[in-house]
Amino acid sequence: MCGIVGYLGPAKAAPVLISELRCLEYRGYDSAGVAIIQDGQLSVLKAAGKLGNLEKLISERKPTATVGIGHTRWATHGVPNDQNAHPHLDNSKTIAVVHNGIIENYEEIKEELAKAGYTFESDTDTEVVAHVISQEYEKEQDMLKAIFKAVGRLRGAYALGVVSQKHPDKIYAVNQHYSLSVGLGHNESFLASDSMAVRQYTNKVVRLEQSEVAEITVDGVRLFAFDGKEVKRRPVSLDSNPYVIDKGGYKHFLLKEIHEQPLVLRQTLAKYLVHPTKPVSFIPHITPHGNQPTSPSLPTNNEEDNLLSKSYGVHLTDMELKGIDRIQVVACGTAYHASLIGKQIIEHLCNIPVAVDIASEVRGRRLMVNESSLTIAVSQSGETADTLSALESAKKLGSFTLGITNRPDSHLAQITPNLIVTECGIEVSVAATKTYLAQLTAFYLLGIFLAEKRGSITPEQAKGLKTQLNAVPTLLEQILARESDIRTASLKYADAHDVVFIGRGLNFPTALEGALKLKELSYIHASGYAAGELKHGPIAVLDSKVPVVTIIVPGSVYEKTLSNAQEARARNAQMIAVAVEGDELVAKHFDTVLSIPPVDEFFSPLLTVVPLQLMSYFIADYLGKDVDQPRNLAKSVTVE
Ligand code: M6R
């Protein structure tokens, strides 16, 4: 969602802040701003809209300040405009605050402050934080003490970056159930809500844990718990190669990421599957994209060679794995769709009941897990607040936990001892594509892994499954080679206002995912249904203007799916199929076929989604939509 950055050192702060913000812009892009301290004066530059607007402002003013904080916003309180853009100032205009998350009791605090004579310039919850810190500073005359007092008055999950004109050699940061990292360079320090943003400058970072305050100088960082006690922690070492954020010749990141899928699958498979005759192994390892988490000690910018490592992987014993009698999966959005397929994979291979819940729906409910359950949180970013909170609830009930993520440096990686890391590289486009396929791959591998451990499949069956899985990347390449046919076929439906997606069994979640991709990219209304549900209500919306996309592959539900599609055809709907090439029945009953190579039904979700991703992309691009940064969305959804 929103992004926080900061810099202090010898260089001009504004260009550094902009380049850090550039890395985070995909997480929120309603407005952006910076607060810098120039010649002893705090000044704020901010602009509604994309980061380019702020960049323009900065290039006109050419500030030479060497300390500052910055922000890119995804609006929660108050419309996206200049006034509501961060940073926000206190009334004395000496303290500036940038903020991710939500201050839940801001109305209450605002009322108190208003009674005390404070005035407000924005509709945000953030502005109260600047005033509260300022109010406490009046009493304490010490920034750290003022911040400790202020956080005692705030409720919610949030991260803050703070600068004060009275302390121009420091940046303060606060983390409360959020994510913040301090990058340590040579006589310079950086702040970012995603370590990816500092990676271009340094590979040494200190991550703030929950309920911590950081005092950052050019020499390093001091950490404190909210009660004021100093905390010692060593820095972690990030992969020394910065993430390359580059379209690689493609028109959009999205198209590039769709095309990266065969490679992503090969990489994820190579990591956990040595050979079809060998068991799947989630062995402890340090990932190519990953970092090495920490252990306590005082970090300074001069500290070298004290970086400790932790291993990722699944650390449950064979006995624990055999004792699991229920699996609960929690996830949101696309990750939820992958999890619905994951459920079917695991139930089919392992005979363990699997429940999947939308993570936000777990709040206020009792999860049915205990000491013999495994709760799996699936999140590409590893920062989704709803998913993290659901996993924490399961932990409290004694469940084993496992994360599936693309970000080994994420919050999710910190809160579960078991982690399967997908090998996607950074996914820049807000719409998830390659990470979805990688999450599915992780579920296939996990299903085989559990089945091997529990003896629910024979070695021969396991070998067959792994061989088929290894063949998938080549099949994906065959689909991508048909891209221009998919474009031509898709554009016939670009003027639709409503599109219905249907599928059964393993491809019901594909229908949900196809509909989500189309609506988030093109803003065309789309809904996904279990094909058998069409007749229970949704069929009422069908007429000759509504395209119906049916995902239909040979296997256990082929005929029933075809019958459901016929029901739509009988209502004059425009009929599109995602089906295997050469299927004559499909050719007969559908107006348009987006074909995939022949594939076993069990693995078909790895293929069927790809024509749907491309279809959504081509329609959105044709309609002139902002493909990589669709309106109203953010890549990492860090509010509940
Ligand atoms: O980072 P996560 O996987 O936890 O994100 C979950 C959803 O916010 C995400 O999948 C979202 O639905 C995507 N924009 C879909 O393309």
Side-chain angles (χ1 to χ4, degrees):
M1 298 216 120
C2 306
I4 289 178
V5 299
Y7 173 75
L8 41 77
K12 285 184 193 157
V16 178
L17 294 174
I18 289 289
S19 79
E20 288 184 271
L21 286 175
R22 188 60 71 206
C23 295
L24 302 187
E25 194 194 12
Y26 73 116
R27 300 177 72 144
Y29 33 85
D30 290 343
S31 56
V34 296
I36 46 178
I37 304 178
Q38 172 121 12
D39 306 325
Q41 286 296 310
L42 184 61
S43 84
V44 168
L45 297 172
K46 50 191 189 175
K50 293 279 183 76
L51 188 57
N53 299 347
L54 174 67
E55 233 176 327
K56 203 164 149 239
L57 206 60
I58 287 176
S59 69
E60 285 160 15
R61 308 277 175 91
K62 300 191 175 36
T64 55
T66 58
V67 55
I69 53 177
H71 190 260
T72 176
R73 179 170 185 247
W74 183 85
T76 58
H77 296 67
V79 297
N81 61 17
D82 286 0
Q83 264 142 317
N84 290 331
H86 300 208
H88 290 283
L89 295 173
D90 70 322
N91 281 165
S92 70
K93 313 264 184 247
T94 59
I95 293 174
V97 172
V98 290
H99 162 220
N100 286 359
I102 291 177
I103 307 300
E104 286 169 0
N105 56 338
Y106 89 101
E107 292 275 20
E108 206 178 286
I109 301 177
K110 198 168 177 175
E111 219 172 282
E112 259 173 51
L113 290 167
K115 279 191 196 137
Y118 287 83
T119 56
F120 295 86
E121 292 175 5
S122 76
D123 306 316
T124 65
D125 51 341
T126 310
E127 201 179 353
V128 303
V129 181
H131 293 344
V132 168
I133 295 175
S134 171
Q135 197 178 39
E136 298 295 348
Y137 187 81
E138 287 304 307
K139 295 181 222 154
E140 302 290 338
Q141 293 300 306
D142 177 298
M143 271 305 274
L144 270 177
K145 285 189 186 152
I147 290 173
F148 296 141
K149 284 275 177 64
V151 295
R153 292 169 59 186
L154 307 177
R155 266 203 324 269
Y158 57 87
L160 306 171
V162 184
V163 283
S164 162
Q165 182 177 298
K166 293 182 186 138
H167 303 275
D169 54 346
K170 291 189 175 90
I171 294 177
Y172 300 89
V174 179
N175 188 42
Q176 175 68 322
H177 298 293
Y178 249 74
S179 193
L180 272 183
S181 296
V182 177
L184 303 174
H186 183 63
N187 293 327
E188 59 183 353
S189 298
F190 307 82
L191 172 68
S193 50
D194 184 329
S195 54
M196 190 177 78
V198 304
R199 192 174 290 218
Q200 56 191 311
Y201 297 105
T202 175
N203 72 339
K204 204 192 282 185
V205 303
V206 174
R207 208 187 145 93
L208 273 73
E209 290 188 0
Q210 300 323 310
S211 310
E212 284 186 352
V213 176
E215 183 187 60
I216 308 160
T217 64
V218 291
D219 299 321
V221 57
R222 292 177 72 197
L223 299 176
F224 303 88
F226 276 9
D227 62 7
K229 284 203 191 88
E230 190 159 356
V231 177
K232 309 279 189 197
R233 182 169 313 121
R234 289 182 177 184
V236 299
S237 175
L238 302 174
D239 177 356
S240 50
N241 299 320
Y243 288 125
V244 180
I245 297 193
D246 173 355
K247 289 187 191 144
Y250 288 92
K251 187 173 175 192
H252 294 103
F253 282 108
L254 184 74
L255 190 58
K256 173 178 172 245
E257 287 160 4
I258 291 172
H259 276 267
E260 281 171 349
Q261 293 181 117
L263 179 65
V264 161
L265 249 72
R266 283 197 179 98
Q267 285 178 177
T268 302
L269 289 171
K271 188 160 160 183
Y272 303 117
L273 191 56
V274 180
H275 189 271
T277 55
K278 297 267 184 325
V280 170
S281 169
F282 295 110
I283 47 163
H285 59 276
I286 303 298
T287 68
H289 296 299
N291 62 8
Q292 305 171 13
T294 64
S295 180
S297 169
L298 179 69
T300 71
N301 289 8
N302 300 318
E303 189 177 15
E304 298 293 343
D305 301 328
N306 60 354
L307 311 175
L308 299 187
S309 68
K310 170 193 156 190
S311 301
Y312 296 108
V314 175
H315 303 283
L316 297 166
T317 63
D318 288 3
M319 194 121 102
E320 286 167 339
L321 289 167
K322 281 183 188 144
I324 290 167
D325 59 14
R326 178 183 159 86
I327 293 179
Q328 169 72 55
V329 191
V330 289
C332 303
T334 288
Y336 169 70
H337 299 155
S339 304
L340 291 174
I341 296 172
K343 165 188 164 76
Q344 298 187 50
I345 295 167
I346 295 173
E347 287 182 343
H348 177 75
L349 295 177
C350 313
N351 296 322
I352 309 174
V354 181
V356 184
D357 277 280
I358 294 175
S360 57
E361 284 298 304
V362 168
R363 183 60 86 185
R365 237 182 68 206
R366 192 199 187 283
L367 269 180
M368 297 307 290
V369 297
N370 57 29
E371 292 80 3
S372 53
S373 315
L374 172 67
T375 303
I376 305 175
V378 186
S379 171
Q380 79 77 24
S381 64
E383 302 292 350
T384 299
D386 291 318
T387 307
L388 297 175
S389 146
L391 190 72
E392 292 285 12
S393 308
K395 257 169 98 171
K396 284 191 193 124
L397 294 164
S399 172
F400 293 112
T401 60
L402 165 68
I404 297 179
T405 186
N406 195 41
R407 297 297 303 270
D409 51 349
S410 64
H411 193 155
L412 175 59
Q414 312 288 315
I415 63 169
T416 173
N418 302 298
L419 198 69
I420 299 177
V421 178
T422 53
E423 285 303 322
C424 299
I426 288 291
E427 188 175 66
V428 176
S429 182
V430 168
T433 53
K434 62 178 179 175
T435 53
Y436 172 73
L437 232 60
Q439 286 163 356
L440 287 186
T441 308
F443 271 117
Y444 282 105
L445 289 167
L446 180 63
I448 299 170
F449 170 81
L450 290 172
E452 286 180 321
K453 292 283 182 196
R454 297 163 65 96
S456 56
I457 53 173
T458 65
E460 262 321 292
Q461 285 169 323
K463 186 177 159 205
L465 291 165
K466 291 174 210 166
T467 306
Q468 290 191 74
L469 204 46
N470 275 335
V472 170
T474 306
L475 303 178
L476 288 172
E477 280 161 354
Q478 291 171 21
I479 301 175
L480 294 169
R482 298 169 192 170
E483 180 185 273
S484 73
D485 294 344
I486 296 175
R487 181 174 188 278
T488 310
S490 303
L491 294 189
K492 289 192 275 178
Y493 304 96
D495 60 355
H497 292 292
D498 296 286
V499 180
V500 167
F501 289 73
I502 57 171
R504 274 181 179 251
L506 283 151
N507 281 304
F508 160 46
T510 310
L512 297 178
E513 178 59 10
L516 176 61
K517 283 290 91 81
L518 185 65
K519 66 189 149 200
E520 71 180 330
L521 291 169
S522 70
Y523 319 154
I524 294 172
H525 176 256
S527 297
Y529 299 102
E533 275 291 294
L534 203 57
K535 58 188 174 295
H536 295 289
I539 201 164
V541 306
L542 300 189
D543 63 25
S544 62
K545 294 201 192 75
V546 180
V548 174
V549 182
T550 306
I551 299 113
I552 176 164
V553 293
S556 58
V557 291
Y558 178 86
E559 283 167 8
K560 295 257 182 279
T561 309
L562 192 59
S563 305
N564 299 139
Q566 298 281 27
E567 292 153 15
R569 189 176 172 76
R571 272 80 192 173
N572 291 323
Q574 302 172 44
M575 301 298 290
I576 306 165
V578 174
V580 299
E581 62 206 13
D583 185 327
E584 286 175 11
L585 262 184
V586 165
K588 192 168 141 204
H589 293 293
F590 288 81
D591 305 315
T592 298
V593 181
L594 307 175
S595 65
I596 58 167
V599 63
D600 188 292
E601 182 186 29
F602 187 60
F603 292 104
S604 65
L606 288 165
L607 301 191
T608 48
V609 73
V610 179
L612 301 179
Q613 295 169 342
L614 286 167
M615 176 183 177
S616 304
Y617 168 73
F618 288 127
I619 292 179
D621 185 38
Y622 174 79
L623 295 175
K625 304 300 183 206
D626 190 343
V627 169
D628 286 327
Q629 296 182 337
R631 70 181 180 198
N632 304 337
L633 298 184
K635 183 73 181 162
S636 180
V637 184
T638 49
V639 292
E640 284 187 55

